């Protein structure tokens, strides 16, 4: 198989290919992409009615701000699945992330089929020259795959497109995994692409679950919950009198956390999609668990720390897992005061 070659510059620094502009017929759907990439594309398609789809509320908020800053008119929507949108788009443009999750790319292409009008087109603008991945995938899902005419401004296999013809099978990509904490009962978790640690119980989450202190009857806040593993394990300790609030900015993750809480018998819980860690009642939780993206901006870690403090009772306990303690320890001390550090499974759990 030929090796993928990265373009010298990110898509935001390359001209939008004329073929992509020509294919962007309204109503247009822009699937995922960074705020910069989406703005770059829409700038090249002035006046085209566009909807921008995201899984994550934080990313959606950033995109809305970027659209306002650049005076671009487009709506931004979030949903657990792309095919939750009506099948009313003439064109969908997908700009996959460099090094992005393979299973998510497959899931997006297969779900994109179902949001197109009959004969509508999915256009993939890849960040790789000679990308061998999307051609076979588009052919499998759509039946046929096309490239722009030779001699244009598009490197080979950088832009590919397919048209929706007829009806297609709805194939959902998901994985179920089993996990347990110490000698506790095993739990079964459903996960889907685009959520944290797809298909597995991450070692950082496991470290947090093994270190956390939860008592019977505790109200537990699981911040950055992903598919809900830590909140479910916390509920085993808090028991039928306890309560768990799952919070995440990824709406697909929240739908899965809700599902996993139900199938694993969590008696009292709520699942809240929020990019600001709001929704559950402040000052009412005995325990807050925080598992932020490890390589995300420091502002997200600070948000998790400050909002957890606001959610806790005066005697509440806070547990924060990280691989970069030097970057967040000062913030935890600033917000909570004294901090205990526990090294476990190659991670540091900050307890306050």
């Amino acid at each position: 198989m030929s090796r993928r070659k990265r373009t010298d510059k990110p898509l935001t620094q390359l001209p939008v290919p004329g073929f992509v502009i020509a294919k962007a017929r309204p109503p247009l759907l822009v699937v995922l992409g960074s705020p910069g990439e989406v703005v770059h594309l829409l700038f090249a398609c002035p006046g085209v009615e566009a909807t921008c789809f995201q899984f994550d509320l934080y990313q959606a908020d950033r995109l809305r701000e970027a659209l306002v800053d650049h005076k671009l008119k487009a709506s931004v929507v979030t949903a657990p699945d792309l095919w939750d949108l009506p099948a009313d788009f003439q064109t969908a443009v997908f700009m996959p992330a460099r090094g992005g999750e393979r299973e998510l790319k497959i899931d997006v292409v297969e779900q994109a089929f179902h949001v197109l009008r009959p004969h509508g087109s999915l256009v993939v603008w890849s960040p790789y020259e000679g990308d061998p991945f999307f051609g076979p995938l588009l052919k499998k899902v759509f039946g046929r795959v096309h490239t722009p005419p030779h001699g244009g401004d598009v490197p080979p296999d950088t832009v590919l497109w397919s048209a929706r013809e007829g009806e297609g099978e709805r194939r959902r990509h998901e994985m179920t995994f089993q996990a347990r904490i110490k000698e506790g009962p095993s739990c079964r978790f459903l996960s889907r692409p685009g959520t944290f640690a797809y298909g597995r119980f991450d070692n950082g989450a496991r470290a947090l679950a093994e270190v956390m202190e939860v008592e019977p009857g505790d109200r537990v806040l699981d911040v950055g919950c992903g598919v809900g593993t830590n909140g479910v394990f916390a509920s085993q300790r808090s028991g039928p009198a306890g309560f768990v609030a799952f919070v995440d900015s990824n709406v697909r993750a929240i739908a899965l956390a809700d599902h996993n809480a139900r199938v694993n018998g969590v008696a009292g819980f709520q699942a809240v999609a929020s990019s600001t860690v709001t929704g559950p009642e402040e000052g009412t939780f005995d325990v807050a668990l925080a598992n932020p993206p490890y390589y995300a901006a420091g502002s997200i870690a600070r948000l998790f720390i400050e909002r957890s403090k606001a959610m806790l009772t005066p005697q509440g306990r806070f547990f924060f897992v990280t691989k970069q303690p030097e970057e967040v320890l000062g913030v935890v001390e600033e917000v909570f005061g004294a901090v205990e550090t526990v090294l476990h499974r190659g991670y540091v759990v900050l307890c306050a």
Side-chain angles (χ1 to χ4, degrees):
M1 179 180 293
S2 61
R3 188 177 180 84
R4 293 184 300 178
K5 177 183 176 183
R6 292 193 180 201
T7 55
D8 293 333
K9 299 179 180 179
L11 296 183
T12 52
Q13 296 180 22
L14 295 173
V16 178
F19 184 82
V20 175
I21 298 172
K23 272 289 180 183
R25 301 187 182 99
L28 170 67
L29 176 66
V30 183
V31 184
L32 302 180
S34 69
E37 289 171 338
V38 176
V39 166
H40 183 54
L41 172 66
L42 295 182
F43 242 122
C45 306
V48 175
E49 176 190 352
T51 299
C52 308
F53 173 84
Q54 296 285 334
F55 286 120
D56 194 277
L57 294 174
Y58 176 77
Q59 191 81 332
D61 290 342
R62 290 180 60 220
L63 177 53
R64 289 189 185 97
E65 293 172 0
L67 292 171
V68 171
D69 290 343
H70 291 85
K71 298 180 172 58
L72 291 169
K73 292 184 178 180
S75 61
V76 181
V77 298
T78 58
D81 286 292
L82 179 57
W83 62 33
D84 290 338
L85 276 58
D88 195 32
F89 295 96
Q90 185 61 37
T91 312
V93 176
F94 176 33
M95 294 175 287
R98 292 188 182 200
E101 184 183 345
R102 178 180 182 274
E103 291 79 7
L104 181 60
K105 295 175 183 177
I106 297 172
D107 194 39
V108 165
V109 169
E110 295 200 338
Q111 292 205 12
F113 181 96
H114 301 281
V115 299
L116 293 170
R117 294 175 175 176
H119 314 299
S121 298
L122 171 65
V123 180
V124 177
W125 180 17
S126 172
Y128 298 101
E129 293 182 17
D131 192 334
F133 180 77
F134 284 100
L137 175 60
L138 287 166
K139 186 173 182 179
K140 176 184 176 182
V141 175
F142 286 82
R144 299 181 67 184
V145 59
H146 311 277
T147 57
H150 294 295
D153 60 349
V154 182
D157 297 329
T158 298
V159 173
L160 300 158
W161 68 278
S162 294
R164 173 175 180 169
E165 304 293 344
E167 297 298 321
E169 178 186 355
R170 290 200 173 205
R171 289 184 286 261
R172 183 185 288 285
H173 289 263
E174 57 190 17
M175 290 181 63
T176 301
F177 61 92
Q178 296 274 147
R180 63 188 300 180
I181 294 299
K182 298 180 180 178
E183 301 304 317
S186 179
C187 293
R188 193 172 179 86
F189 297 96
L190 182 68
S191 66
R192 291 176 184 145
T195 58
F196 174 67
Y198 170 57
R200 61 190 176 87
F201 188 29
D202 171 74
N203 279 335
R206 182 180 289 277
L208 178 60
E210 290 177 345
V211 170
M212 66 183 179
E213 299 173 6
V214 179
E215 302 295 335
D218 276 350
R219 288 173 54 84
V220 179
L221 178 72
D222 187 359
V223 184
C225 64
V227 302
T229 52
N230 289 47
V232 169
F233 288 125
S235 76
Q236 292 179 346
R237 304 182 193 180
S238 63
F243 180 85
V244 179
F246 300 91
V247 180
D248 203 293
S249 62
N250 186 310
V251 295
R252 173 173 277 192
I254 282 296
L256 290 165
D258 183 282
H259 170 86
N260 290 325
R262 294 179 190 280
V263 300
N264 286 293
V266 179
F269 75 93
Q270 67 179 137
V272 180
S274 172
S275 62
T276 56
V277 194
T278 55
E281 185 178 356
E282 293 187 4
T284 65
F285 289 89
D286 304 292
V287 178
L289 312 173
N291 188 10
Y294 301 136
Y295 300 105
S299 60
I300 296 179
R302 176 173 283 276
L303 172 70
F304 280 24
I305 295 163
E306 292 179 342
R307 290 302 301 156
S308 293
K309 174 69 177 300
M311 294 289 181
L312 287 168
T313 65
Q315 293 77 36
R317 305 180 297 282
F318 177 61
F319 301 91
F320 181 106
V321 66
T322 180
K323 269 205 165 182
Q324 301 169 310
E326 66 282 353
E327 297 187 10
V328 295
L329 178 58
V331 181
V332 179
E333 290 176 331
E334 172 192 331
V335 174
F336 280 91
V339 180
E340 177 188 358
T341 61
V342 178
L343 180 62
H344 189 58
R345 293 186 178 273
Y347 291 79
V348 172
V349 181
L350 304 177
C351 314

